[in-house]
Amino acid sequence: MPKNSKVTQREHSGEHVTESVADLLALEEPVDYKQSILNVAGGAGGKQEAAEEELDAEDRPAWNSKLQYILAQIGFSVGLGNIWRFPYLCQKNGGGAYLVPYLVLLIIIGIPLFFLELAVGQRIRRGSIGVWHYVCPRLGGIGFSSCIVCLFVGLYYNVIIGWSIFYFFKSFQYPLPWSECPIRRNRTVAVVEAECEKSSATTYFWYREALDISNSISESGGLNWKMTLCLLVAWTIVGMAVVKGIQSSGKVMYFSSLFPYVVLACFLVRGLLLRGAVDGILHMFTPKLDKMLDPQVWRDAATQVFFALGLGFGGVIAFSSYNKQDNNCHFDAALVSFINFFTSVLATLVVFAVLGFKANIMNEKCVVENAEKILGYLHNNVLSRDLIPPHVNFSHLTTKDYTEMYKVIMTVKEDRFSALGLDPCLLEDELNKSVQGTGLAFIAFTEAMTHFPASPFWSVMFFLMLINLGLGSMIGTMTGITTPIIDTFKVPKEIFTVGCCVFAFFVGLLFVQRSGNYFVTMFDDYSATLPLTVIVILENIAVAWIYGTKKFMQELTEMLGFRPYRFYFYMWKFVSPLFMAVLTTASVIQLGVTPPGYSAWIKEEAAERYLYFPNWAMALLITLIVVATLPIPVVFVLRHFHLLSDGSNTLSVSYKKGRMMKDISNLEENDETRFILSKVPSEAPSPMPTHRSYLGPGSTSPLEPSGNPNGRYGSGYLLASTPESEL
């Protein structure tokens, strides 16, 4: 008995001694892999393969440090959505009131499921395909669906990085190219571009100079060569970052995950010093309590939680699979979730501080333009000077004075007031103008930056931040594709990764047509949301209801060294599945009641118009959703009717450093438990390790060979009392 054994230390004490067999075996000397493999069973087809998989798990690459791993998870979860989607949802759904449903759903769905994905990835040490095949072979299609969703998201997400690269290079000039409308010469006369004059300089630059957008999704318009080059650069950067797996991507994360916080901090300080910043922040955090009861607000909050934490993508599982098994993934889940929420709030503060500044500028511009109209009416005797309050000075007209004058004119000229074409110029109206997604970053925020001193510097910093935020998320997305495929099919890492990037670039040309922005909307708003919800629900069900919540909690206790809070048991078992089922139902109903559509930019009108997807686009959208979810029922049916092997029929046991590992498959369920574990199914223990009671030095080791002459290659080991192995 080793000197440092718990039993040796207390063998003279009269205490009851409890020690796991895993603790005892961990003190033995290492044994060579190939010389310590025990195969038991009749099937020859999977013996070596099962053992090789276990040994491969031991040789799996690992993070260089805990910091590198945390930064990778933060880089994946904190992305472009934190910068533009979360602030937009706050503005749309009641300001500060939106934080209530978001926090509630983050606690009851987000953190528990994020912890679940971290735990299964770290415990099983495989990508999403291997993890869900292990947890429940019939639901092994979950992993394949996760890979497909990652592919869909990666295709359009890198296009957004391409847009950011385009704006980044355009920022190295003064004045910024989107600060003024272009001048066109018509023979000897110089005129402002009509499309720009009807909209704004930043809107024109985005839709015409950057995207050169068509009027509808049906008008392809050919490739936009500028964005095609930017997309090529984006995929080259991503490919270089992930080609070596975590050995290359882990180093990139030190910059791509930390740099955005430096920029956000700089923007926050600069934003708070801007005139009108407080107006924007107060507008943001003033709660509209009636919104809290709106089901759409809760649906938006749940969708944002899924996307913010990367649930269902497979990237969380892939990153976690490179951890040591004694890593405290519970702490990781809480830390990353908090940082993600903190980043969203910080970004919202920055956005609304800057938008408050922009709203004040636009409001003052409105006052000046309408004051000129009033002066014209006074000069033409359309309005009487008696309507102008005596203290009003048109040379220094304040917003308050204009509002007072506006109300007087509206009261006196009630019958003909609409013909005057005067605007109220209310600051609240400017603040209420919500701009969604890319419009917030590439139109509203860029317009505000044109009013900054040293605007090119701030523009360069902003778009470099967007590139790094997108890169961190793309690394996680690509890892969610490459890790499970490489684990499962043993393809060469570098060749497969480069092949994925090349394939994605060519498919991504769909998004750099002149109509490409409309396809981005289709993929972003519709193609991924419903499949992700289905995936996350099935992940929860697979662990909580099929594998068993109690068994999973016991294995977490074994892995972490402490028992997770009972809170997680009830969330995984009851609350989270119920909320997600409601969310899925609401999503399906919404798709049926409200036909999907997109905001099209109409060149002749220089304005956006909401259009419904044509029939062929609807067919494409439905196909995307079906393709993303199809592996789940296909794998279930094939394995239910034994048309696809789940990789069993073998018991492979191997020893390394005194630890016994086994892989059980393809046996019928009852045969498996009776033959291998010598127990009835109801008593079958977990396939993951649990502690056994060791009653004292006089007990017989369960691994001592019996007198069976079969020797090393027979079944002479007492398998009936063999403890569960560590996988």
Side-chain angles (χ1 to χ4, degrees):
M1 184 72 64
K3 292 182 180 180
N4 56 348
S5 166
K6 299 176 189 175
V7 178
T8 304
Q9 292 171 4
R10 291 179 286 176
E11 62 182 340
H12 299 297
S13 65
E15 298 181 37
H16 173 77
V17 180
T18 301
E19 183 174 22
S20 70
V21 174
D23 288 338
L24 292 172
L25 293 177
L27 298 171
E28 295 179 9
E29 291 299 320
V31 183
D32 180 67
Y33 301 131
K34 297 181 180 178
Q35 299 301 320
S36 58
I37 296 177
L38 170 65
N39 290 319
V40 182
K47 301 177 184 177
Q48 281 302 107
E49 181 181 351
E52 286 172 1
E53 286 183 0
E54 297 297 344
L55 300 178
D56 178 61
E58 294 300 317
D59 297 330
R60 192 174 186 79
W63 298 102
N64 291 337
S65 66
K66 179 66 175 278
L67 176 62
Q68 190 180 81
Y69 164 68
I70 292 296
L71 290 178
Q73 290 287 14
I74 292 172
F76 178 48
S77 64
V78 176
L80 297 172
N82 296 77
I83 302 299
W84 62 48
R85 183 173 171 81
F86 188 89
Y88 161 72
L89 291 175
C90 284
Q91 186 180 25
K92 170 190 172 187
N93 294 319
Y98 174 73
L99 298 179
V100 175
Y102 183 84
L103 275 174
V104 170
L105 293 175
L106 180 65
I107 292 171
I108 67 174
I109 294 180
I111 296 178
L113 295 182
F114 189 58
F115 178 32
L116 184 147
E117 289 198 357
L118 289 177
V120 295
Q122 179 175 309
R123 193 68 184 89
I124 302 171
R125 307 199 74 193
R126 284 289 180 271
S128 56
I129 295 176
V131 161
W132 301 116
H133 168 73
Y134 177 88
V135 172
C136 178
R138 290 181 181 178
L139 291 180
I142 295 175
F144 291 98
S145 289
S146 293
C147 291
I148 294 173
V149 171
C150 279
L151 175 62
F152 288 171
V153 172
L155 287 174
Y156 76 82
Y157 205 87
N158 225 21
V159 174
I160 300 175
I161 297 179
W163 295 343
S164 302
I165 292 172
F166 176 79
Y167 269 78
F168 172 76
F169 285 109
K170 286 289 185 179
S171 299
F172 288 95
Q173 50 187 299
Y174 184 83
L176 291 171
W178 51 82
S179 59
E180 297 176 351
C181 284
I183 304 297
R184 308 295 184 197
R185 291 203 170 272
N186 185 8
R187 295 181 181 177
T188 58
V189 180
V191 295
V192 177
E193 177 66 43
E195 186 180 2
C196 183
E197 189 175 25
K198 292 178 183 178
S199 53
S200 68
T202 50
T203 304
Y204 173 83
F205 186 87
W206 166 241
Y207 283 119
R208 192 55 50 212
E209 295 293 335
L211 301 181
D212 193 19
I213 200 166
S214 61
N215 284 355
S216 73
I217 194 172
S218 299
E219 301 174 24
S220 169
L223 290 178
N224 180 339
W225 68 267
K226 293 177 289 188
M227 288 305 168
T228 302
L229 290 178
C230 291
L231 180 63
L232 178 61
V233 173
W235 275 113
T236 301
I237 294 173
V238 171
M240 293 172 62
V242 300
V243 68
K244 295 290 185 182
I246 63 170
Q247 283 82 5
S248 56
S249 62
K251 296 178 176 63
V252 174
M253 288 298 182
Y254 284 109
F255 181 78
S256 66
S257 296
L258 294 176
F259 178 74
Y261 290 96
V262 176
V263 178
L264 281 176
C266 293
F267 266 102
L268 180 62
V269 173
R270 185 68 187 91
L272 292 176
L273 297 176
L274 294 172
R275 176 171 49 88
V278 175
D279 295 328
I281 293 173
L282 289 177
H283 174 77
M284 154 59 200
F285 285 103
T286 301
K288 301 175 180 63
L289 299 179
D290 58 310
K291 287 282 190 178
M292 291 175 56
L293 302 178
D294 187 350
Q296 181 62 35
V297 174
W298 288 82
R299 180 180 174 274
D300 287 345
T303 303
Q304 179 62 15
V305 167
F306 285 172
F307 276 93
L309 294 177
L311 298 177
F313 284 94
V316 172
I317 293 175
F319 280 154
S320 184
S321 71
Y322 298 112
N323 269 333
K324 296 179 180 178
Q325 287 206 351
D326 60 352
N327 174 63
N328 188 350
C329 56
H330 177 260
F331 171 79
D332 300 342
L335 177 65
V336 174
S337 299
F338 169 77
I339 292 175
N340 188 289
F341 176 70
F342 167 77
T343 306
S344 297
V345 174
L346 176 63
T348 303
L349 283 173
V350 171
V351 167
F352 277 91
V354 173
L355 292 184
F357 165 68
K358 173 179 173 286
N360 273 268
I361 290 178
M362 299 306 295
N363 192 57
E364 290 172 1
K365 182 180 178 181
C366 176
V367 169
V368 170
E369 291 175 351
N370 283 271
E372 290 177 353
K373 288 183 182 179
I374 293 175
L375 285 173
Y377 293 143
L378 292 175
H379 180 72
N380 296 324
N381 295 322
V382 175
L383 294 177
S384 170
R385 293 189 178 274
D386 296 336
L387 298 178
I388 309 302
H391 64 277
V392 171
N393 182 359
F394 279 91
S395 300
H396 299 88
L397 188 63
T398 65
T399 303
K400 182 179 179 182
D401 290 341
Y402 173 78
T403 301
E404 182 180 351
M405 185 169 54
Y406 176 85
K407 289 180 178 178
V408 171
I409 296 173
M410 184 174 62
T411 303
V412 175
K413 297 288 185 178
E414 183 177 358
D415 296 337
R416 294 182 297 165
F417 180 75
S418 59
L420 298 176
L422 298 177
D423 298 314
C425 296
L426 299 176
L427 181 63
E428 189 73 13
D429 291 343
E430 289 293 336
L431 291 171
N432 281 330
K433 289 181 180 178
S434 59
V435 184
Q436 182 178 7
T438 54
L440 181 61
F442 295 101
I443 297 177
F445 209 86
T446 52
E447 183 174 353
M449 286 189 295
T450 59
H451 301 286
F452 284 15
S455 55
F457 167 78
W458 292 103
S459 184
V460 167
M461 294 287 284
F462 177 71
F463 289 108
L464 185 58
M465 177 187 70
L466 292 188
I467 292 170
N468 279 276
L469 283 170
L471 179 60
S473 297
M474 274 302 299
I475 289 174
T477 302
M478 288 299 295
T479 305
I481 299 172
T482 58
T483 295
I485 298 297
I486 292 170
D487 285 348
T488 305
F489 300 104
K490 309 301 180 186
V491 295
K493 181 191 300 181
E494 291 81 2
I495 296 175
F496 178 71
T497 302
V498 172
C500 279
C501 293
V502 172
F503 171 79
F505 167 72
F506 282 107
V507 177
L509 294 178
L510 172 71
F511 303 98
V512 290
Q513 304 175 94
R514 291 182 58 203
S515 60
N517 187 46
Y518 306 137
F519 287 97
V520 171
T521 301
M522 176 191 292
F523 275 67
D524 187 23
D525 292 350
Y526 302 104
S527 69
T529 304
L530 185 58
L532 271 180
T533 309
V534 173
I535 288 170
V536 175
I537 288 177
L538 292 177
E539 287 181 353
N540 200 158
I541 292 174
V543 172
W545 288 91
I546 299 177
Y547 193 78
T549 311
K550 290 183 179 179
K551 182 163 61 175
F552 186 59
M553 290 286 283
Q554 184 175 350
E555 289 159 0
L556 286 180
T557 304
E558 176 74 20
M559 183 173 71
L560 300 175
F562 63 88
R563 188 171 186 82
Y565 298 117
R566 196 74 179 168
F567 163 81
Y568 292 106
F569 177 90
Y570 295 109
M571 293 300 105
W572 290 331
K573 190 78 172 179
F574 305 110
V575 180
S576 295
L578 177 62
F579 268 78
M580 288 187 294
V582 172
L583 173 64
T584 305
T585 305
S587 299
V588 173
I589 292 175
Q590 185 185 34
L591 283 175
V593 173
T594 307
Y598 61 100
S599 293
W601 179 258
I602 310 301
K603 181 178 181 179
E604 294 73 21
E605 301 173 5
E608 290 183 338
R609 185 194 300 170
Y610 190 82
L611 301 177
Y612 294 118
F613 286 119
N615 291 337
W616 65 266
M618 282 297 300
L620 174 61
L621 175 59
I622 294 171
T623 301
L624 292 172
I625 294 174
V626 170
V627 167
T629 53
L630 190 61
I632 298 173
V634 168
V635 172
F636 181 88
V637 170
L638 291 178
R639 284 186 171 151
H640 180 75
F641 292 102
H642 307 291
L643 301 175
L644 178 67
S645 169
D646 61 2
S648 354
N649 242 357
T650 334
L651 172 61
S652 177
V653 183
S654 61
Y655 295 96
K656 180 186 176 188
K657 296 183 181 178
R659 189 170 72 183
M660 186 181 74
M661 299 176 289
K662 73 184 176 204
D663 183 87
I664 305 171
S665 40
N666 249 344
L667 292 170
E668 292 297 326
E669 186 174 346
N670 291 340
D671 294 338
E672 178 182 294
T673 52
R674 290 173 183 167
F675 174 72
I676 298 175
L677 303 176
S678 298
K679 295 194 177 189
V680 295
S682 61
E683 299 173 338
S686 158
M688 294 186 184
T690 54
H691 283 308
R692 298 287 189 178
S693 294
Y694 186 85
L695 301 178
S699 300
T700 303
S701 170
L703 290 178
E704 271 184 50
S706 68
N708 194 305
N710 291 336
R712 180 182 170 201
Y713 295 99
S715 56
Y717 286 79
L718 299 181
L719 293 175
S721 57
T722 299
E724 292 86 3
S725 64
E726 288 191 289
L727 284 175

